[in-house]
Structures are given as C-alpha cells and as structure tokens.
Amino acid sequence: MDLLASYRANGPGHDEMLQATGPARLAWQQLAGQAHLGQADRLAESSAEVRNLLEDEGVLAGDRAQPWRLDPLPVLVDELEWHRLEAALRQRAELLDLVLTDLYGERRLLTTGLLPPEVVLAHPGFLHTADGVTVPGLRQLFHIAVDLARNADGSWTVLADRADAPVGLGYVMADRRVVSEVLAGVYRESRARRVGPYFQALREALQAASPAAAGDDPRMAVLTADPGTAAAFDDGYLAAMLGLPLVEGGDLVVEDGRVWARSLGRREPVDVLLRRLPAADVDPLELHRAARRGTPGLVHAARQGAVTVVNTLGSGVLESPALLTYLPRLARSLLGEDLALPSTATYWCGDRSMCSHVIANLGRLVVRPTAGDRPVLGWELSLDQRADLAARIAERPAAWVGQEPVEASTTPTVARDTLVPQPTSLRTFAVAHADGYVVLSGALGQAGPVPQAVPDGALTGTAKDVWVLAPEPAVTAHPAPVLPGGRPSGGAISPRAAEDLFRLGRHTERAEATARLLLAVTDRWDDYARAAATSSSPSADTAGWQALEVLLAALHQLAADAPLPALVTDAAVPGSLAWAVARMGQAAAGVRDNLSPDIWRALSALERALARERARQRDDEAQLGLAPVLAGLLEGLLALHGSYTESLVHDVGWRLLEAGRRLERGRHLVATLSRTLPQRREPAVEALVTESVLVAHESSITFRRRYPGGGLAALLELLLTDASNPRALAYQLEQLRVQLAEVPAVGRGPTSRDQLLAEAQDLLAELRTDRADDAPVGGTRIYLARTLESIGWRLAELTKEITRVHLVRPVAVQWSGEGWM
C-alpha cells in the first residue's frame, strides 16, 4: 500500500506537508521520494536507524528509564516564512527584555497600571532578592525559548515563553546530528540552514556578558542541577557543544569576594555561569532555604558583579501565562509597534470581567495556574468537576488563566509501519547580541499530545528536527567551534566529576571481570553440567563436576547468588554484569562533558547486546548458550578500555579512572584466588579449577608458554608477583602508585594511602610461592590463605582511603533560619 496516497490530515486544520507551498512543497516531494515515505519497510528501517544512533550518542529522555523518542521525518519550514517568524521572535525577545529590565528597575509598568502588580508580584518567578543583580551589557534577558504552533488558518501563535532556564538546546543538536545522518542525501539537497552557528553565537554572548574584571579570557561554566534531573542530558550535551565544564552548586564556593569552582588540589575562578537550574535553587542563603543544590552566597556575588549568572535571577517571572494577556499593549507602549507574533488568547482571572468569561466558558477553554503545574482541558471535565474548578478559581482568581484552545498543525509522523498526522509544536531559541537577538535557525519539534495539554515546560511526545530551507547552500564551520577560555586550565576537575570517573573505572573493570568469570564458568557448565544432565550416571565426570561447583561458588560469592542468565542480563541483581553496565552508564552521565563520542557508542553497544540477550532468554530459559553473548560483551568492554586510553586526555580525571580500573582488577583477582586456591583438591579437580582461573584472568596462553610444567607456584608467580604481566597484582599496585601520585589530595594527607599500598606491595615481595602448596589433599593452604586475606584487607581499606584523600565532597546542609542544620 502507498502510505502517502492514504495519508490524511485530522480534521480541517493545517497539515505541514499537505498544505505546503513553494520551496517547502518541493522539499516535501524530495523528502517523500528519497526517504521512501510511501514504503512501510523503509520507514521502519529509518526508525530503527534513528533509535540505534540515539543510543550511540547516549541520548536520554528526562525520565532516564525511557529512551528519547525522535521521528526520522523533519518539519520543513520555508525560508521566506521563517524570515518573517524570525523577525517576530526578535521583536518578542526585545519586548520581554524591556519588561524584565523595568520589573527589576523603575517598575513604571506597575506604577502606571500598564501591568497589574498582582501579575508580577504574586508570581514565584519574581524574586525580590534579584534587585540589584544585573547582566553586563545592554540587555538583561540573556536568552529565551519560545513555544509556538501553527493555527488551523496557517498563522503562528505563541503558546508560552521559557525565560528562567530554557531547556532543549542540547536535544536540538543531538536530533539534527541523527536525522541528518539517517536522511543524509535529502539533508544535503534540502539546503537546510545549520543550527551550529547558534551555539557559536551563544558562546560569544557568554563571553560578552562577563564582568569587566574578567578581562578577555573569562572562565565560563554551565551550572546544572544534578545527573538525576529531567534536564541532565540536555545540560551535559549543551556543555559539551559549548566546550564548557559542567558544574553543580556543590562544585562552587563563594570566597574572597568571588566565585570559585572546586577542583582537586586547588580552586579555579568562575566569571560566567550559564544557569540551567531554577533560579530559586541557586542560593539557599537568599532564596529557597530548603534548596540543597545551590551555592551559598551566589546571589550576593552576582549582585556585587563578581560573577554573571544567566539567565539573570528573577527572569522566570516572564513565564507567567497571565503576562500573555498584556503583551499586546506593552508592545505598543514600549516599542511603539503592534506585537508581530500573537500569543494564544489568554484571559487572566485577576480581572473580574475576564474571570467571568473563563468561568462561563470552562467547557471549551484550557485552564492553567499562573505558577506552572498541569493545565486542565475544560472539555474533558464532568459537570461536577467544572463546578469544583470554578470554585477554586473564585477562591484565588489571580492565580488562574483561561486560554483559547489552539488547533495545532499536524506533521506526518512514523508510527510503526505507517504515517500518522500528529499535532506539532516548535520550541526555538534566541540569545542576546550587541545589535539585538540572534534566533536559532531551526527548533526542537514536539509531536504527539495536544501542545497546550503538556505540563508546564515539559518535553513530551516524539521529538522532530526542524529544517529551515535556505535558498542557497549554507557555508559554515564545525557546528560548535571551541573558543579559547572557558575550561579551567591544567586539567582541573571537580570532586564530583572525579568521583564519577573513579566509579566509571571501577564499574568498567568490574563488568569485565564478571564477564570473564562468567565465561569461564559457562565453559565448564557446557562441558560438565550438560553431560551430567544427559548421562544416566550424573557423577560420570566427578572431577569436572567438582570443579564446576568450586567455580560456581566463587562466582556467586563474588557477584550474586543468582542463576547464570540473571547474572548476565538482570540489572536488578547487584553484582550482575548488567548491573555493572548500568552503573557505568550512571557514572558516565555525570561526566558527559569529559567523555568522547566513541565511549558513548561503546556503552550503547553493551546495552543493546544485553537487551538482545534478555529477549533471547525470554524465548529460551535454558542456562546454556551464554558464551556467544559473553564473548560479544567482553569485546565491547575491551573496546571501551581502548577508548579510555586513546580518546581521553591523560589528565587528573583520567588518572582517577585508571586508578579505579587498577584497584578493581587487583581486588577481583585477590578475591577470586581466595575463593578457589586455598583448599587443596584432587589433582584432576585442581587442574580444571586453575585452568579456569587463568582463563578468567586472560593468562592461560602465557601460562602454558612460559610454564610448560604448570604448578601452583608458577600460577601465583604469573598472577601475583610478575610486574610485567598487565593482569598480575604487582602490575596493578605499581600502576596505582604511579597514577595516585599525580592526583592532588583534597581531604586528608596521603600518608595512610601510601602506607596501605606499600604494605600490599611488601606482602607481594615477601611471598614465597614455593611455600604456598603446603597442605595435603583436602586441607587448607594456610600460608596462601593468610597472605591473600591480608592483601585483600589492605586493598579494601585502600579503596576507602582513596575516597578520604581524593574524593571528599562538601555535604549539603539546610538553612533553618537560625543557622545551618
């Protein structure tokens, strides 16, 4: 069936493809032909390719449990139409800047009655403590996002203004990179305007907004909330695009009259902060006292001009939907012009006549609180529910607005193997420059729910890239050239990022060690458990079965007491391979701005392999057949190790990552030997166990080549004392010593750390491998057991000591009004 022939819009509204004219219509025709929109199988292939590329880029939705959904088909906008829209967006940004400047300045809009005071003063986005906080330059509104949609008649209307901490720029670039690769031929021929220059403009604007004392090379950073928030991916991706460090409130400290970023061993000055968390959370001293994500004293530093925070504190008041009611007359008063881009018709219930209109028409209006929260679609309410809502409005009328519904235009969207029309809204961005505002040549499209039904500011539905069609091919440099300045010099890294990198190294090594041990156990399982299951005499190979029991016991003690398939794929089982991979992803998300694309591709490949294995296990519950997936996962982990070594700068952060790897490898080796070698078994069993131990530590071939006679002493020499073997404990301890010596101490001194490490090395140097085999069959090799226990204890303590010395972080406390709690 030809999907294009059967595609129809929903109702009489505007459809971006069916109602397109001029160059946009030609572009839709080219898109339809080259992207094979009429063929279900090709659409499915494009959707699958998009999903894979999103995973490779590590693109996550706000809810980290859900993948980011992106449609392969873009929204196409004609250049001439965008030119008019761009001019209107510039005018709107200029108007909102004048409003913001007045509200935190002379407040003539309130005293003259142009703007009812209750619209401003009652809104939580208006911060009295922001008085006196200004942004250097001509404009106080640094940047803004505008949500808009096309009406049924084809005209554009604004749904909302996002002026506190606008979200979505990171997704804009991530979506463009994916869609332009999936539709590479169409993208080149479409002459779509590039979005990269906007990031260049944003960075230049940040430099221009720096305090005068910062000079020509200001230190800039992106201030985020924490990796668990809905905007975490967007913040991290934006920071990487701008080439700026990502910092949290706890990474900053206000001392000596300015703002500093904590780093290992020293502190770095910060001149400009691109704020990505709500203004109320930036400073528990002067704003929200319960906030634990902010930096005490930051507001005072901004007020004194020691740091520039953008968007400026208090700009969230511009997000009040009640303000939309008054923008037309504010434009005429402040600009001497009519508002070029209208907002959706909004009735503020603080005005008696408007309130009466809203209550009388609840059944057809969108009703929303002025301070965010989820909007209410009046037509979905029962009569009793409308009565309850009317009572709530009457109780606090100034806290509510009613809005006319917007029948947003639709765009073709891939849904499984067909095309469906979906209501679509756009979020575009503008940033202040010397001669006005620069508008992003594109937008973040959102298809799916009725735009006005979306919770305030949320990114929901399916994302769509937005192509603005240029008459001539665009000539541009790299999408986000890295300019001088911004990142602290010398490889500085915050304690938070240092901890995440250390954890990333540990969990990566833990995943590899678990995969190798699982592979060794699986090999024995396939050899002996399968034979025992099919044999009339289960004890036909007693030695093999006993060796398998030893290895299974060690695996369950080192990982978790769970079936083999669960130890591979169940992320809910602590110690499983999937659990370790999930922890790798969490640690990596906290340091996205430090990691290369190759690392994200390797991580996503691991997650996809685990997902495929889960699907296979649902169809095949047997414990056999794990070797292929384990081999594939091991290959991916080795690629990840290579990316760490070859893709990351060998600075302090890399040294901590490497230290985490070496520490975990050493601990796992000692733990494995402690659970498999101290008890002396029958020679046949012993041979199988030691062979599996060598396999699990990637040393079996070397062992056979160097020690043809075998023996326990030879095994211990290779795995413990041979400093030339990168799998040996001696090698791990020496690497730990080398790496940690270059990492600054931020907590207590390194004396205890160095002592524990030296003691472990001394125990290895004193180990007499020829004395290790000192027990009869069935007995315990006491000398070996005690030595391994002593080393293992010191490595466990060393782990804690590294945290105390290098990874100390400030503890968030709550201000009670009388003091710190």
Side-chain angles (χ1 to χ4, degrees):
M1 180 180 71
D2 186 345
L3 299 181
L4 281 175
S6 61
Y7 177 79
R8 296 289 184 274
N10 287 333
H14 188 94
D15 184 85
E16 295 296 331
M17 182 174 72
L18 298 180
Q19 270 77 50
T21 59
R25 185 173 186 84
L26 176 60
W28 275 111
Q29 292 171 350
Q30 293 173 340
L31 178 63
Q34 296 187 32
H36 304 282
L37 299 190
Q39 302 175 25
D41 56 339
R42 296 300 295 271
L43 287 179
E45 289 175 8
S46 296
S47 294
E49 190 175 355
V50 164
R51 287 193 298 271
N52 289 338
L53 288 172
L54 288 174
E55 291 175 3
D56 286 345
E57 290 275 351
V59 183
L60 301 170
D63 180 354
R64 297 179 59 82
Q66 299 295 327
W68 178 251
R69 291 181 295 171
L70 173 63
D71 191 63
L73 304 182
V75 179
L76 305 182
V77 182
D78 177 68
E79 165 77 9
L80 181 59
E81 182 177 18
W82 187 261
H83 181 73
R84 293 192 294 266
L85 191 57
E86 191 175 45
L89 288 167
R90 286 198 189 97
Q91 184 210 45
R92 190 178 191 90
E94 293 277 5
L95 172 62
L96 291 174
D97 173 60
L98 292 173
V99 172
L100 183 66
T101 302
D102 179 79
L103 293 182
Y104 290 98
E106 297 179 351
R107 298 195 178 101
R108 296 180 64 182
L109 297 178
L110 306 185
T111 58
T112 60
L114 280 172
L115 192 57
E118 201 168 1
V119 168
V120 174
L121 303 180
H123 192 269
F126 182 76
L127 303 178
H128 295 275
T129 53
D131 272 342
V133 178
T134 59
V135 177
L138 300 175
R139 294 170 179 79
Q140 296 307 297
L141 181 60
F142 179 78
H143 71 145
I144 187 171
V146 179
D147 292 345
L148 60 157
R150 196 196 294 268
N151 280 309
D153 62 2
S155 62
W156 292 94
T157 186
V158 172
L159 305 175
D161 298 300
R162 309 294 176 195
D164 185 32
V167 174
L169 265 178
Y171 286 117
V172 168
M173 179 55 79
D175 292 352
R176 174 59 59 89
R177 284 179 164 173
V178 169
V179 174
S180 64
E181 183 169 343
V182 173
L183 302 177
V186 185
Y187 182 67
R188 286 193 299 270
E189 293 188 16
S190 70
R191 296 177 175 176
R193 286 167 62 174
R194 306 308 190 240
V195 297
Y198 184 83
F199 293 85
Q200 170 88 3
L202 177 58
R203 179 153 181 161
E204 290 173 354
L206 287 169
Q207 288 184 307
S210 63
D216 296 331
D217 187 17
R219 303 298 183 96
M220 306 180 293
V222 177
L223 177 60
T224 185
D226 60 65
T229 59
F233 168 81
D234 190 63
D235 294 353
Y237 207 91
L238 176 60
M241 289 300 303
L242 295 174
L244 300 179
L246 191 67
V247 298
E248 297 177 13
D251 297 332
L252 304 175
V253 61
V254 179
E255 291 179 351
D256 303 328
R258 67 175 310 172
V259 178
W260 305 86
R262 291 184 173 97
S263 62
L264 296 189
R266 64 181 189 275
R267 58 185 189 178
E268 298 286 340
V270 177
D271 302 306
V272 183
L273 287 169
L274 177 59
R275 178 175 60 84
R276 307 287 291 171
L277 75 164
D281 290 342
V282 302
D283 186 344
L285 278 180
E286 296 203 42
L287 295 168
H288 192 249
R289 290 179 175 176
R292 293 175 178 262
R293 300 184 294 186
T295 305
L298 186 59
V299 171
H300 178 74
R303 189 181 297 118
Q304 296 301 310
V307 66
T308 299
V309 180
V310 289
N311 259 352
T312 188
L313 302 176
S315 57
V317 69
L318 299 178
E319 296 187 357
S320 172
L323 187 62
L324 300 178
T325 307
Y326 298 95
L327 284 184
R329 78 183 189 190
L330 291 176
R332 289 189 292 270
S333 175
L334 297 176
L335 299 175
E337 304 170 353
D338 288 331
L339 189 64
L341 185 60
S343 313
T344 182
T346 302
Y347 313 104
W348 178 52
C349 294
D351 180 281
R352 182 174 300 178
S353 62
M354 293 189 208
C355 186
S356 299
H357 176 79
V358 170
I359 292 177
N361 292 275
L362 281 180
R364 67 173 189 82
L365 295 178
V366 177
V367 181
R368 65 172 69 237
T370 58
D373 294 332
R374 184 178 294 273
V376 179
L377 306 183
W379 55 90
E380 294 183 351
L381 302 180
S382 66
L383 291 176
D384 288 342
Q385 289 172 327
R386 291 180 197 172
D388 289 342
L389 180 58
R392 292 169 62 194
I393 293 173
E395 184 179 356
R396 293 186 61 214
W400 296 87
V401 298
Q403 295 181 321
E404 296 290 343
V406 175
E407 188 176 358
S409 64
T410 57
T411 55
T413 305
V414 180
R416 294 186 179 178
D417 56 353
T418 190
L419 288 175
V420 296
Q422 290 277 25
T424 303
S425 62
L426 308 184
R427 176 173 294 181
T428 193
F429 299 81
V431 62
H433 262 245
D435 56 350
Y437 281 83
V438 175
V439 177
L440 174 71
S441 296
L444 175 62
Q446 298 178 82
V450 176
Q452 287 174 291
V454 173
D456 199 39
L459 300 176
T460 60
T462 300
K464 293 181 80 74
D465 192 14
V466 179
W467 295 2
V468 177
L469 307 175
E472 299 294 336
V475 178
T476 184
H478 186 275
V482 177
L483 304 178
R487 184 175 297 278
S489 61
I493 187 171
S494 72
R496 170 193 56 80
E499 182 179 1
D500 283 334
L501 287 166
F502 183 66
R503 289 172 53 237
L504 179 59
R506 291 192 64 192
H507 286 304
T508 304
E509 189 59 39
R510 185 174 297 174
E512 183 191 336
T514 303
R516 290 189 181 280
L517 186 54
L518 274 165
L519 193 55
V521 171
T522 299
D523 286 344
R524 292 287 179 233
W525 183 281
D526 290 347
D527 288 342
Y528 299 109
R530 180 185 299 175
T534 58
S535 172
S536 59
S537 175
S539 59
D541 192 334
T542 304
W545 187 256
Q546 290 178 3
L548 177 59
E549 288 180 333
V550 173
L551 295 170
L552 279 171
L555 175 64
H556 290 152
Q557 290 173 356
L558 291 170
D561 190 3
L564 291 183
L567 287 177
V568 177
T569 61
D570 193 345
V573 176
S576 70
L577 178 53
W579 178 87
V581 171
R583 295 305 180 277
M584 289 162 57
Q586 292 174 4
V591 287
R592 174 175 289 275
D593 55 321
N594 288 266
L595 304 181
S596 69
D598 286 347
I599 291 174
W600 286 107
R601 280 190 284 271
L603 281 171
S604 67
L606 292 173
E607 292 167 348
R608 281 201 297 271
L610 286 168
R612 288 193 298 269
E613 179 61 15
R614 290 188 194 100
R616 188 194 70 80
Q617 287 182 11
R618 285 194 292 268
D619 300 328
D620 178 12
E621 297 181 357
Q623 292 187 357
L624 306 179
L626 292 175
V629 68
L630 287 170
L633 289 166
L634 192 55
E635 182 180 343
L637 287 164
L638 293 175
L640 195 55
H641 284 310
S643 293
Y644 292 160
T645 302
E646 300 298 330
S647 299
L648 300 182
V649 176
H650 290 198
D651 56 9
V652 171
W654 177 84
R655 292 184 185 280
L656 278 167
L657 185 150
E658 185 69 5
R661 287 182 56 208
R662 298 303 172 184
L663 178 62
E664 197 65 30
R665 181 174 292 184
R667 291 189 63 179
H668 186 271
L669 171 61
V670 172
T672 304
L673 297 183
S674 296
R675 286 161 176 78
T676 54
L677 298 186
Q679 183 180 353
R680 185 167 184 174
R681 300 174 178 84
E682 294 289 346
V685 178
E686 191 93 351
L688 292 172
V689 170
T690 55
E691 181 185 358
S692 293
V693 168
L694 287 163
V695 168
H697 294 91
E698 201 189 5
S699 297
S700 59
I701 294 176
T702 304
F703 184 77
R704 287 196 296 269
R705 186 182 71 249
R706 290 174 55 177
Y707 305 99
L712 179 65
L715 181 146
L716 295 176
E717 180 180 323
L718 180 63
L719 292 184
L720 289 180
T721 64
D722 186 353
S724 67
N725 178 14
R727 292 285 165 177
L729 180 59
Y731 186 90
Q732 314 315 316
L733 296 181
E734 179 60 19
Q735 286 299 307
L736 266 173
R737 186 192 66 78
V738 170
Q739 304 305 340
L740 292 177
E742 299 297 324
V743 179
V746 296
R748 63 192 192 188
T751 303
S752 296
R753 179 204 72 185
D754 294 343
Q755 181 179 346
L756 287 166
L757 188 54
E759 288 175 359
Q761 290 180 307
D762 289 344
L763 285 169
L764 272 186
E766 296 166 1
L767 177 63
R768 294 281 302 275
T769 57
D770 57 333
R771 289 182 49 198
D773 203 2
D774 59 354
V777 173
T780 300
R781 296 170 172 128
I782 296 175
Y783 173 69
L784 176 61
R786 288 178 176 174
T787 301
L788 291 174
E789 180 183 7
S790 185
I791 295 174
W793 173 83
R794 282 167 173 79
L795 292 181
E797 287 301 309
L798 179 59
T799 305
K800 299 175 185 177
E801 196 62 26
I802 289 173
T803 300
R804 297 185 188 112
V805 174
H806 301 291
L807 306 177
V808 175
R809 295 174 58 184
V811 178
V813 292
Q814 183 174 337
W815 178 260
S816 67
E818 300 177 354
W820 293 105
M821 297 176 61

